[in-house]
Amino acid sequence: QVHLVESGGGLVQPGGSLRLSCAASGSIVSPNTMGWYRQAPGKQRELVASTTPGSTYYADSVKGRFTIFRDNAKNTVYLQMDSLKSEDTGVYYCNLRRYAYDYWGQGTQVTVSS
């Protein structure tokens, strides 16, 4: 069993920055894929960014503004969000996948508004 705990969400003005953190605990097995999804009210949950050793993915909407990286010693994945826009608003979820196993964090609210 894997548990994911997210932090770093909040309210920020357009053009600002936030860093989200996701700490994993439990039966962590490598290699694995960790990523960030987001969901705005009334919209589908979408993949924002993900990372595996040797592979990194970004959605076109965030490319050049967001950066995903990992601290393997702490079993933590981060999402650095810069130049935030109002359309980035939503609940952000951390995800870990290994073979048939799929784990989710509780979600953290990100609101970009003036």
Side-chain angles (χ1 to χ4, degrees), residues 1 6 12 16 20 25 36 41 46 70 75 81-82 88 90 98-99 102 104 106:
Q1 186 65 231
E6 296 148 312
V12 65
L20 305 183
S25 62
W36 290 93
E46 64 174 341
R70 305 168 72 143
N75 292 318
M81 305 185 294
D82 298 318
D88 295 318
R98 167 74 174 180
Y99 296 141
D102 192 3
W104 294 92
Q106 79 286 351

Side-chain angles (χ1 to χ4, degrees), residues 31-87:
N32 58 60
T33 299
M34 296 192 73
W36 290 93
Y37 291 72
R38 70 185 179 191
Q39 187 168 27
K43 294 187 176 181
Q44 298 288 329
R45 187 175 298 186
E46 64 174 341
L47 176 62
V48 176
S50 64
T51 181
T52 326
S55 180
T56 303
Y57 167 85
Y58 295 97
D60 288 341
S61 60
V62 307
K63 194 171 297 182
R65 300 188 297 119
F66 290 10
T67 304
I68 187 170
F69 59 99
R70 305 168 72 143
D71 184 338
N72 291 321
K74 294 184 176 181
N75 292 318
T76 300
V77 65
Y78 303 88
L79 185 67
Q80 177 67 42
M81 305 185 294
D82 298 318
S83 301
L84 283 162
K85 305 175 181 179
S86 60
E87 52 262 44

Side-chain angles (χ1 to χ4, degrees), residues 9-31:
L11 174 65
V12 65
Q13 294 186 350
S17 297
L18 285 173
R19 179 177 290 186
L20 305 183
S21 300
C22 174
S25 62
S27 301
I28 308 301
V29 177
S30 296

